[in-house]
Amino acid sequence: MASDKTPFEDFGRKLDRGAKRVEEEGEKFIAYFNDEVVPAIRSNSTKALRVAAEKLSQLANYMEQEPPK
């Protein structure tokens, strides 16, 4: 006896499984992004700001020491 499922039902089930897999992978990606990428960006941004602040401080010191020309 042939399957009671129509091709459309089979397609729907496959689509449901695929959607569930995409959702699971999306959740894994979001967790990775939040746990790994965001902290790295923040850390590097903080370092860049500290370097910029130090360079600006050095420039201010130089400007104070050099007489205007």
Side-chain angles (χ1 to χ4, degrees), residues 3 15 44 47:
S3 173
L15 190 60
N44 291 335
K47 290 175 188 173

Side-chain angles (χ1 to χ4, degrees), residues 18-58:
K20 183 175 173 91
R21 176 74 188 265
V22 168
E23 185 177 336
E24 290 169 353
E25 292 299 320
E27 289 172 2
K28 288 179 187 177
F29 172 77
I30 290 169
Y32 171 79
F33 192 83
N34 286 333
D35 295 344
E36 302 293 331
V37 176
V38 171
I41 290 171
R42 286 185 179 157
S43 174
N44 291 335
S45 297
T46 301
K47 290 175 188 173
L49 285 172
R50 291 189 191 285
V51 168
E54 177 62 28
K55 295 296 181 183
L56 287 170
S57 179
Q58 291 172 1

Side-chain angles (χ1 to χ4, degrees), residues 6-25:
T6 66
F8 183 74
E9 288 174 319
D10 286 339
F11 177 74
R13 285 187 178 87
K14 289 178 185 178
L15 190 60
D16 286 343
R17 286 193 301 267
K20 183 175 173 91
R21 176 74 188 265
V22 168
E23 185 177 336
E24 290 169 353
E25 292 299 320

